[in-house]
Amino acid sequence: MDRSSSITKKTDGDEIEDIKKEEDEKESIEKIFESKEVPAWQKQLTFRAFFVSFILGILFTFIVMKLNLTTGIIPSLNVSAGLLGFFFVKTWTAFLEKSGLLKQPFTRQENTVIQTCVVASSGIAFSGGFGSYLFGMSEIVAKQSTEANDSQNVKNPSLLWMIGFLFVVSFLGLFSVVPLRKIMIIDFKLTYPSGTATAYLINSFHTPQGAKLAKKQVTTLGKFFSFSFLWGFFQWFFTSGDGCGFVNFPTFGLKAFDNRFYFDFSATYVGVGMICPYLINISLLVGAILSWGIMWPLIEDRKGHWYSAEYKQSSLHGLQGYRVFISIAMILGDGLYNFFKVLGLTLHGLYHQFRNKNVGLVLPVGGHSSPSTPTLSYDDQRRTQLFLKDQIPIWVAIVGYITIAVISTITLPHIFHPLKWYYIIVIYIFAPTLAFCNAYGCGLTDWSLASTYGKLAIFVIGSWAGASHGGVLAGLAACGVMMNIVSTASDLTQDFKTGYLTLASPRSMFVSQIIGTAMGCVISPCVFWLFYKAFDDIGVPGSQYSAPYASVYRNMAILGVEGFSALPKNCLTLCYVFFIAAIVINGIRDAVGPKWARFIPLPMAMAIPFYLGAYFTIDMCVGSLILFVWEKIDKAKADAFGPAVASGLICGDGIWTLPSSILALAGVNPPICMKFLSRKANVRVDGFLNS
């Protein structure tokens, strides 16, 4: 029965409920699409798909780069990529269809290719280290410390070497997991929650009801995109000097403002708060109150006793040292706990999978099938058949990995002189195993530990190289190599899962990931270069683009090379306390179970405002509050349109950085400075102006 014939008009809520009912009533998703032919893998890779991917890749790279250089908190943008990809190509095909020029209809497989390519492209903005290890090599960040800031431990950004570096390290992870795609997706049936959610979203777009809802979601996204962009433009007029504009509004008073407690009117972080789980936002707020509300004022009172009063605010031998190193201790404690937790789950899962399937020593790679196959549903049969149809030969993966490994082993020591060829070979020997562990762990927990593996490389390679042989630079470069390998490996397996559930070919997923990665290797350095040249104070603590994680990563490298000699008094003791506290809190969270764990803060999230301040946590909590109230009023609408509103706020404010960068490069300055002064300061200013 055609439902549209019996329904004349529906509210958004009714349509949302209809989609949910369809999902409940229909046992098989694939039977809905049974009449639609699945295009060959070559036809899934269209010019329009990659053109749209390129445009969206630039958009999302600006967003990720801005987040990288402000707080380092980056939400999942998969939903936005899938939704905008659907909108752009659907608009394209609708126009061609009216003109009679449409040769190939828009399919969910092509939609999956776009989403994969966009996420791969913008993902390089994170794994490329522009807000962490790569920028941490620069003279700007090195000057903030008195240790290891000599020429052999410094490498300033340059467009040419950044692009070259990314091209020789970003593809290894893709080839390392290709041979094990079947064991991950079909034999082990790993869930990959983000990949699965994205697949169901794309499937829903291509049903009649889902297409109607997607159109309304895009309209909502467009409205909030426009609002966010125009709000960023409006704010720009009032920022002609340091400390000017709405971003410096002392919401809770000047004393709170001095301790970085204020609402800075950032549409980006209100949107991020709407996407991030409530627990993340509350954990950030708890961390901000603990650090900037209690600890730092108490430690500042001990100025002259614990550290010299002569040190500047930005000196790592003063209060800044406590902020940075205690934050690092919590991040390392949380990372170490989760590393061993995920490793344990991985080994436990592998043991049971191999024991239950009785595969012995033979891994079901390539086209080999499992000895025993349980009865599959229609959906699983259809998906498995098509997933195994287009094989990627194992020799392609092996030859590709070895070829790129050889090229990068020769190239990287010329880019980073302290990074010797034998360090790189050691990384590449262990990298496939670590990439597999990360991809498997991500399938179980939806948690990529790429940055944790990167930090591990910092300490191992940095201490191996030593302080006198550029150990800091070697450690940061090794971090980049490792992060790119394990990050792209987990991304590709997520995409294989999405492709499996949308009947997209593994070959088209692999090619799309390679093309997206190649785009990212050019787009991300160019976007970073625009920020680097447009904003003179980039990387400076307290500035608009302070790149906090660049300092954190560099100080980790210094810690790995020179030990604890750089720490101010009692800082090491506090680091031990918070390192152990992070492990204990995680242990308690796992021990009490999900029911009570949702009330216990996450140490990793708590650690971020230790260094940055509370301002962005206020923004994110405002986003959480908006979503919470919306869910209480109309949960169905909030579930359907919340991500669209959040994406619009993030995208509009993020893309405003492009014209603001161009204006800065052109020497066009805002006309007004809006500052907020205390009454006493205002009297002095008035007296000075009237004298």
Side-chain angles (χ1 to χ4, degrees):
M1 177 183 173
D2 183 6
R3 295 188 179 192
S4 60
S5 62
S6 61
I7 299 171
T8 55
K9 186 178 180 182
K10 295 188 176 185
T11 66
D12 294 336
D14 292 334
E15 287 186 356
I16 296 158
E17 291 303 322
D18 276 350
I19 291 170
K20 289 181 177 177
K21 284 177 185 175
E22 276 189 8
E23 289 174 357
D24 293 336
E25 291 169 7
K26 301 262 185 184
E27 292 183 3
S28 170
I29 292 172
E30 293 310 326
K31 281 186 178 176
I32 299 172
F33 297 101
E34 196 173 18
S35 61
K36 296 183 180 180
E37 183 184 353
V38 177
W41 71 272
Q42 297 95 330
K43 290 190 175 181
Q44 295 172 22
L45 304 167
T46 62
F47 169 78
R48 69 191 178 202
F50 291 117
F51 179 79
V52 168
S53 298
F54 180 73
I55 300 300
L56 291 178
I58 294 172
L59 167 66
F60 284 110
T61 298
F62 268 98
I63 294 165
V64 173
M65 196 66 70
K66 179 178 179 178
L67 296 171
N68 256 335
L69 296 172
T70 49
T71 64
I73 300 173
I74 302 164
S76 172
L77 297 171
N78 289 21
V79 172
S80 307
L83 184 62
L84 288 172
F86 173 81
F87 168 70
F88 280 120
V89 179
K90 200 70 177 172
T91 305
W92 184 326
T93 54
F95 174 75
L96 290 178
E97 192 171 14
K98 287 179 181 177
S99 308
L101 300 172
L102 183 64
K103 294 181 180 178
Q104 183 177 336
F106 182 42
T107 63
R108 56 191 174 131
Q109 290 79 28
E110 191 178 352
N111 204 159
T112 308
V113 165
I114 294 169
Q115 186 271 335
T116 297
C117 191
V118 172
V119 172
S121 175
S122 59
I124 298 294
F126 166 71
S127 62
F130 299 100
S132 55
Y133 66 85
L134 190 141
F135 192 39
M137 301 173 184
S138 68
E139 190 177 358
I140 293 170
V141 178
K143 280 181 178 177
Q144 295 167 28
S145 171
T146 55
E147 292 82 18
N149 55 10
D150 54 297
S151 60
Q152 66 176 348
N153 281 306
V154 172
K155 189 168 185 67
N156 284 315
S158 167
L159 201 54
L160 194 61
W161 76 253
M162 288 191 296
I163 292 173
F165 166 70
L166 290 175
F167 265 108
V168 296
V169 300
S170 296
F171 296 92
L172 279 156
L174 305 181
F175 289 101
S176 66
V177 293
V178 162
L180 297 175
R181 67 196 177 281
K182 182 179 178 291
I183 192 174
M184 298 283 207
I185 307 301
I186 295 174
D187 291 280
F188 288 179
K189 292 182 170 58
L190 296 176
T191 53
Y192 290 100
S194 290
T196 300
T198 304
Y200 281 112
L201 185 76
I202 291 172
N203 283 335
S204 75
F205 287 162
H206 293 266
T207 61
Q209 287 292 343
K212 287 180 185 177
L213 180 61
K215 187 176 180 181
K216 293 187 177 183
Q217 287 172 325
V218 168
T219 303
T220 302
L221 190 152
K223 288 177 183 175
F224 282 89
F225 176 95
S226 302
F227 164 76
S228 181
F229 182 88
L230 292 171
W231 174 240
F233 181 42
F234 176 73
Q235 288 188 86
W236 175 82
F237 282 97
F238 302 92
T239 56
S240 69
D242 293 335
C244 300
F246 286 91
V247 293
N248 294 291
F249 183 78
T251 323
F252 308 112
L254 290 167
K255 187 65 178 175
F257 180 82
D258 290 340
N259 284 288
R260 302 193 189 180
F261 276 92
Y262 57 95
F263 177 66
D264 74 347
F265 295 90
S266 169
T268 294
Y269 284 103
V270 172
V272 171
M274 292 180 72
I275 291 176
C276 287
Y278 294 130
L279 182 60
I280 296 285
N281 297 329
I282 296 301
S283 300
L284 288 165
L285 187 60
V286 169
I289 293 168
L290 177 63
S291 55
W292 290 88
I294 300 171
M295 286 176 56
W296 305 156
L298 288 174
I299 292 174
E300 194 169 15
D301 287 343
R302 284 154 179 77
K303 186 192 296 184
H305 299 285
W306 283 20
Y307 60 94
S308 173
E310 295 177 2
Y311 288 129
K312 294 180 180 178
Q313 276 280 335
S314 60
S315 172
L316 288 171
H317 293 288
L319 183 57
Q320 186 76 345
Y322 295 93
R323 293 171 184 163
V324 171
F325 290 111
I326 293 174
S327 176
I328 288 172
M330 284 195 78
I331 290 169
L332 290 177
D334 186 281
L336 191 68
Y337 178 89
N338 283 294
F339 171 75
F340 283 110
K341 174 187 168 182
V342 173
L343 184 63
L345 287 170
T346 300
L347 294 175
H348 183 263
L350 285 170
Y351 169 73
H352 282 283
Q353 290 284 359
F354 282 120
R355 189 183 68 175
N356 294 340
K357 291 184 177 294
N358 193 28
V359 294
L361 298 175
V362 181
L363 290 178
V365 299
H368 305 297
S369 57
S370 303
S372 59
T373 305
T375 304
L376 298 174
S377 66
Y378 174 80
D379 280 7
D380 286 340
Q381 287 178 4
R382 179 92 170 123
R383 290 164 178 168
T384 302
Q385 175 195 2
L386 287 167
F387 189 78
L388 297 176
K389 179 184 172 185
D390 296 323
Q391 293 300 315
I392 303 168
I394 295 178
W395 67 265
V396 171
I398 295 171
V399 170
Y401 187 88
I402 293 172
T403 303
I404 297 172
V406 170
I407 292 169
S408 58
T409 303
I410 295 168
T411 307
L412 287 174
H414 291 285
I415 300 174
F416 308 106
H417 298 301
L419 188 66
K420 305 301 181 186
W421 62 269
Y422 43 88
Y423 300 159
I424 302 165
I425 289 174
V426 169
I427 292 171
Y428 288 163
I429 290 170
F430 289 100
T433 304
L434 297 178
F436 170 75
C437 289
N438 193 49
Y440 188 94
C442 190
L444 291 174
T445 64
D446 205 30
W447 198 329
S448 173
L449 296 177
S451 58
T452 303
Y453 289 110
K455 290 161 194 160
L456 184 67
I458 286 178
F459 288 111
V460 173
I461 302 300
S463 58
W464 186 3
S468 59
H469 297 94
V472 170
L473 188 60
L476 290 170
C479 171
V481 175
M482 184 64 77
M483 264 186 73
N484 276 283
I485 292 171
V486 298
S487 177
T488 51
S490 63
D491 287 348
L492 180 60
T493 46
Q494 284 270 20
D495 292 332
F496 278 145
K497 182 69 175 184
T498 305
Y500 171 77
L501 294 170
T502 59
L503 302 191
S505 167
R507 287 188 184 180
S508 65
M509 291 291 91
F510 184 62
V511 172
S512 178
Q513 184 86 19
I514 285 179
I515 292 173
T517 302
M519 286 181 186
C521 290
V522 177
I523 294 171
S524 290
C526 290
V527 171
F528 172 75
W529 195 246
L530 185 62
F531 276 86
Y532 186 68
K533 289 295 182 183
F535 303 104
D536 295 332
D537 58 355
I538 187 171
V540 176
S543 66
Q544 183 182 3
Y545 299 109
S546 59
Y549 274 98
S551 178
V552 167
Y553 273 70
R554 185 171 186 88
N555 282 290
M556 281 185 189
I558 292 171
L559 208 58
V561 171
E562 299 197 351
F564 301 116
S565 59
L567 301 181
K569 187 180 179 182
N570 294 322
C571 186
L572 181 58
T573 304
L574 289 169
C575 286
Y576 283 140
V577 169
F578 280 91
F579 178 85
I580 294 167
I583 295 172
V584 171
I585 292 169
N586 274 306
I588 293 171
R589 283 177 50 79
D590 287 334
V592 298
K595 182 180 177 181
W596 297 106
R598 60 199 177 101
F599 299 109
I600 302 173
L602 293 162
M604 180 70 82
M606 288 174 64
I608 295 169
F610 270 53
Y611 176 55
L612 284 172
Y615 63 95
F616 73 96
T617 70
I618 306 295
D619 298 342
M620 291 177 68
C621 286
V622 168
S624 266
L625 182 62
I626 291 168
L627 187 65
F628 179 78
V629 172
W630 193 0
E631 284 178 341
K632 290 297 179 185
I633 296 169
D634 190 340
K635 191 172 191 313
K637 259 194 174 182
D639 289 344
F641 293 96
V645 171
S647 298
L649 292 172
I650 295 168
C651 293
D653 197 32
I655 206 64
W656 163 247
T657 57
L658 175 58
S660 68
S661 301
I662 293 170
L663 288 169
L665 285 171
V668 179
N669 296 313
I672 305 167
C673 174
M674 182 173 70
K675 274 197 174 183
F676 302 91
L677 305 173
S678 67
R679 187 169 58 233
K680 288 182 180 179
N682 188 55
V683 169
R684 288 199 301 269
V685 170
D686 283 346
F688 174 77
L689 293 174
N690 294 327
S691 61

